[in-house]
Amino acid sequence: MELSLFLEYGWVLLVLIALEGLLAADNALVLAIMVKHLPEEERRRALFYGLAGAFVFRFGSLFAISFLVDVWQVQAIGAIYLLFIALNHIYRKLVVKKAEASGEERPKKKSGFWMTVFKVELADIAFAVDSILAAVALAVALPDSGLPNIGGLDGGKFLVIFAGGLIGLVIMRFAANFFVVLLERRPGLEIAAFMIVGWVGVKLLVYTMSHPALAFLPEAFAKSTEWKSIFYIVLILIAAGGWFLSKEKVVASGEVKH
C-alpha cells in the first residue's frame, strides 16, 4: 500500500475512532439509564446481554451491508437515515428536553427484567445501524486498497469499518465512563457528534448522487480531492465548535453538574 493511501486510510480510521467513542458513550449512557431501575445483579445481567447484543448486531449489520454497499437505493436510505437520526437527536436535545425540563415530570411505570432486556436489544439494533452506516459513509469514498473484496466491498475499506466497529465496542465496554463524563462536562460535544453524523449522511448522499445509475453529480466528484477537503474541513470545524463553544459544567467540589 502506498504511503499516501496508507495515510488516507489511517486518517479515516482516526476520525472513526473519535466518532465511535462519542457515539459509544452516548449509547452506553442510554443503556445505563434504561437499566438503572433494576436491582444491581439484574442490572449487570441486563448490561451483559446488552453488550452481547451490541456485538452480534453490529457485526451482523456490517456483513449484511458489505453485500449491499454498491446498491444506490441502499446508499440513499442510509444517507436519509443518518440525516434523520442526527436532526431528530438534535431536535430532541434542544427542544423536547427543554420543554420537559420546564414542566412536571410524570412518574413512569418501570419495566421488568426481560422487558428491559428486550428494550436494550432494540436499542442495540438502532445503535448498530447508526454506527455501521456512519462508518460505511466515511470509508466508501476511499480509494480501493487492492485487497480482495469481502462481499461487495473492497477489503481495505471493510477492514477500516470492521476496526472502527470493534473499537466502538471496546470503548462501550471499557472507556465509556470517560466519554460519558466528558459528554456531561461538555454537553455541546453530544450535539456536535450528531452534527457530524448528519454531515456524514451528507457525504453518503453525495456519494449516492454520484452513482452511475443516477448521475446527478459527476461520478468522480465524490472521490475528488476538492470534495474530500471540504468534507474534512467542515468536520473539523464542527468538532472544534462542539469543544470550544460548549461551557464546562463543573461544580466547586469537582463533581459533574447535571
Side-chain angles (χ1 to χ4, degrees), residues 25-89:
D26 190 62
N27 297 353
L29 185 58
V30 170
L31 294 183
I33 291 170
M34 290 175 72
V35 303
K36 70 178 182 179
H37 66 279
L38 295 173
E40 185 175 355
E41 184 60 33
E42 289 188 352
R43 190 186 312 150
R44 289 178 181 174
R45 286 170 56 204
L47 285 175
F48 172 79
Y49 291 143
L51 185 65
F55 184 90
V56 171
F57 293 132
R58 189 164 297 201
F59 289 111
S61 60
L62 169 59
F63 280 96
I65 206 165
S66 68
F67 290 92
L68 301 171
V69 70
D70 285 329
V71 180
W72 72 264
Q73 291 91 338
V74 174
Q75 295 171 3
I77 291 170
I80 293 168
Y81 179 74
L82 288 176
L83 288 167
F84 169 76
I85 63 167
L87 293 172
N88 181 60
H89 183 91

Side-chain angles (χ1 to χ4, degrees), residues 2 4 13 19 61 64 87 91 95 107-108 114-115 146 165 167 187 198:
E2 296 179 2
S4 60
L13 183 58
L19 184 58
S61 60
L87 293 172
Y91 172 77
V95 179
K108 297 179 181 178
W114 287 111
M115 180 54 69
I167 290 166

Side-chain angles (χ1 to χ4, degrees), residues 171-222:
I171 291 171
M172 188 181 289
R173 175 62 181 87
F174 295 106
N177 285 341
F178 167 77
F179 282 96
V180 167
V181 171
L182 183 63
L183 287 175
E184 290 177 337
R185 290 171 68 95
R186 292 186 177 271
L189 283 179
E190 184 175 358
I191 294 173
F194 279 89
M195 286 180 68
I196 290 173
V197 170
W199 183 233
V200 169
V202 172
K203 180 182 176 71
L204 187 54
L205 187 62
V206 168
Y207 191 82
T208 304
M209 294 173 71
S210 302
H211 195 283
L214 296 177
F216 287 126
L217 293 172
E219 186 177 354
F221 177 75

Side-chain angles (χ1 to χ4, degrees), residues 145-150 153-156:
S145 66
L147 296 176
N149 282 11
I150 300 175
L153 197 60
D154 172 78

